[in-house]
Amino acid sequence: MGVKVREKQKGSGVWWVFINHQGQRKAKKVGAKSAANKVARRIEAKLASKELNIDTEAVPTFGELAREWIGVIVPATCKPSTCSDYEGILKHHVLPAFKARPIDNITRKEIKVFILNMAKRRSMSKAKHCKAVLSGVLKLAVEDEVISHNPALELGSLGKQQQQEATITPFTAEELDLLLDTFRAKFPHYFPLTLCLARTGMRIGEAVALEWGDIDFNSRTIHIRRASARGRIQTPKSGKSRKVDMSLQLTEVLGDMKTRRKREALARGLSKVPELVFMNTAGRMIDINHFRNRTWHKALTKAKLARRRVHDLRHTYATLRIQAGHNIADVSGQLGHHSVKFTLDQYFHWLPGQAKGEVDELDRLQLPATYAQPDEKTG
């Protein structure tokens, strides 16, 4: 009884795992020696705990590798908020479908069907997260040389469907003015925050984590160093800090707010102003979900505007600047995008329309011959 690793044909470089358990024998081709040794160790552990299924244990299941991926790989490479997202996706969606499957028995076709069904039942965003989890676990299997390729990659037309899913619904300039006026009149405590989002294109997680030390009123710049995600402070989404410009209006509003905070601090006998720029009415960090549900949606209703996300203020900043003909590279840098190409791809439809002028230039080209109206008699 036991588990052995060896080449069936010496010098072939193909290693097998041989199991002899309770009178049953099983041989499974694995591939590389290192991968075969890993498989053998897993099987020996199963033998010791009497959990061995000799028909399937020669290759690890998806669930086994998923535990290693979510427990070791993800915490070492992802932010805490991403780890939490992946844990939920794995537990509630991916494991119910793939947990018991031998890792080498999962096909590209069934992954694609699973992803498309998820998009149909839930959303393309949820489907994309499921794909990322599947691909992460299967990538680990490739690195362990249990399988030769990752079947979650190259899913064909799925990529185009993902792009079609993304919709951008920015405010027009008139709608934005109306929204800001509504916040100023009805929700004045959150007017500076809303103005900041509209004038800088920041993500709301970046804005609620701002501290006064991040703002340079002389140069009219804000240094984005951190972001809040589920109440935790972490680096911005790109992993890098960046600087954004403040408009004159935003500079004035934030300057007035800091002066008011100083007066309030003196009145309360405090030696310094609280570090956070934007706080809730209780003086603590803003809970983004509370702001969205208790203030944002109410403001849209009072302004008689269609329901939109807070994130659409970021899209509004981008589209208004692009429509005004501002430098696309500067817009991209202020938003913190990883490339100008990404910005162009996302906001292509909001580029200022110059096509008519370009087409009109064709009329000024020297043509080889004038166009004559066909004679009606001759046709």
Side-chain angles (χ1 to χ4, degrees):
M1 182 179 74
V3 183
K4 294 182 179 180
V5 174
R6 65 179 174 86
E7 293 173 298
K8 265 191 177 181
Q9 184 178 352
K10 289 187 178 181
S12 66
V14 179
W15 291 78
W16 292 64
V17 175
F18 295 87
I19 310 169
N20 184 351
H21 178 63
Q22 295 180 349
Q24 288 184 284
R25 296 175 183 271
K26 182 78 174 181
K28 182 72 176 180
K29 182 172 72 173
V30 177
K33 184 178 181 179
S34 59
N37 284 329
K38 283 188 176 182
V39 170
R41 288 195 295 270
R42 289 190 185 100
I43 294 171
E44 287 170 348
K46 293 286 187 178
L47 280 171
S49 62
K50 299 180 181 181
E51 296 177 0
L52 179 70
N53 181 338
I54 195 168
D55 292 324
T56 61
E57 295 296 337
V59 170
T61 64
F62 181 90
E64 288 176 327
L65 283 183
R67 282 198 299 272
E68 181 179 348
W69 178 75
I70 199 68
V72 178
I73 306 298
V74 174
T77 58
C78 299
K79 295 179 180 179
S81 57
T82 304
C83 293
S84 178
D85 286 342
Y86 282 167
E87 286 173 1
I89 292 291
L90 187 64
K91 178 180 178 180
H92 298 294
H93 302 293
V94 178
L95 284 181
F98 295 98
K99 181 178 181 180
R101 297 285 300 282
I103 203 74
D104 65 344
N105 195 29
I106 299 173
T107 66
R108 180 174 295 165
K109 180 178 180 180
E110 64 183 310
I111 290 175
K112 185 171 182 177
V113 170
F114 172 79
I115 297 299
L116 291 176
N117 284 338
M118 182 61 64
K120 184 177 181 180
R121 295 196 313 268
R122 303 295 295 270
S123 68
M124 184 54 75
S125 175
K126 185 73 69 177
K128 288 169 65 177
H129 281 83
C130 287
K131 179 180 179 293
V133 169
L134 278 163
S135 184
V137 176
L138 292 165
K139 180 183 178 184
L140 177 60
V142 173
E143 292 171 350
D144 283 353
E145 298 180 298
V146 178
I147 56 177
S148 61
H149 68 281
N150 186 340
L153 300 178
E154 301 176 6
L155 297 182
S157 60
L158 182 63
K160 295 179 181 178
Q161 293 172 24
Q162 290 173 353
Q163 291 176 6
Q164 292 170 357
E165 166 80 6
T167 56
I168 295 175
T169 54
F171 296 94
T172 64
E174 294 75 16
E175 288 175 330
L176 180 60
D177 285 344
L178 177 58
L179 179 66
L180 291 173
D181 286 344
T182 301
F183 264 96
R184 193 190 337 249
K186 303 295 184 181
F187 306 95
H189 182 83
Y190 291 107
F191 169 70
L193 169 64
T194 308
L195 180 68
C196 183
L197 295 174
R199 295 291 189 259
T200 66
M202 277 188 210
R203 301 175 181 91
I204 187 170
E206 296 169 340
V208 300
L210 276 182
E211 297 179 0
W212 289 113
D214 300 324
I215 300 178
D216 187 332
F217 286 96
N218 293 323
S219 64
R220 289 200 285 130
T221 57
I222 296 175
H223 195 173
I224 299 173
R225 297 183 172 96
R226 67 194 75 80
S228 172
R230 296 178 178 83
R232 296 179 179 178
I233 299 298
Q234 56 190 33
T235 59
K237 186 176 180 180
S238 65
K240 300 177 181 179
S241 64
R242 71 182 189 280
K243 291 184 178 181
V244 297
D245 296 322
M246 292 193 294
S247 69
L248 289 169
Q249 181 191 20
L250 179 60
T251 303
E252 181 180 355
V253 168
L254 294 185
D256 289 345
M257 185 168 71
K258 187 175 184 181
T259 300
R260 187 171 65 253
R261 290 270 183 86
K262 287 180 178 179
R263 289 199 300 266
E264 292 171 353
L266 287 172
R268 294 167 58 189
L270 300 177
S271 59
K272 62 179 182 178
V273 175
E275 290 184 346
L276 285 174
V277 176
F278 304 112
M279 299 186 295
N280 61 21
T281 53
R284 294 189 290 271
M285 178 176 285
I286 293 172
D287 183 301
I288 296 172
N289 287 328
H290 286 179
F291 170 72
R292 183 186 299 113
N293 297 326
R294 299 177 182 179
T295 305
W296 174 258
H297 293 314
K298 290 180 180 179
L300 290 176
T301 300
K302 287 186 177 296
K304 298 181 180 179
L305 293 170
R307 192 180 184 92
R308 288 184 178 88
R309 303 166 299 170
V310 178
H311 194 73
D312 285 319
L313 282 176
R314 178 171 166 84
H315 292 315
T316 301
Y317 168 86
T319 55
L320 290 180
R321 287 200 61 188
I322 289 171
Q323 286 175 324
H326 294 180
N327 187 309
I328 191 73
D330 182 64
V331 175
S332 181
Q334 300 266 326
L335 291 171
H337 286 167
H338 59 81
S339 70
V340 175
K341 180 181 181 302
F342 178 85
T343 309
L344 284 169
D345 288 343
Q346 189 163 33
Y347 299 110
F348 172 79
H349 295 296
W350 280 269
L351 288 171
Q354 298 175 344
K356 291 184 179 64
E358 293 170 357
V359 171
D360 288 343
E361 290 179 6
L362 295 174
D363 292 340
R364 295 191 288 274
L365 296 177
Q366 294 295 322
L367 301 178
T370 57
Y371 174 76
Q373 180 73 21
D375 191 303
E376 293 184 0
K377 294 181 180 179
T378 61

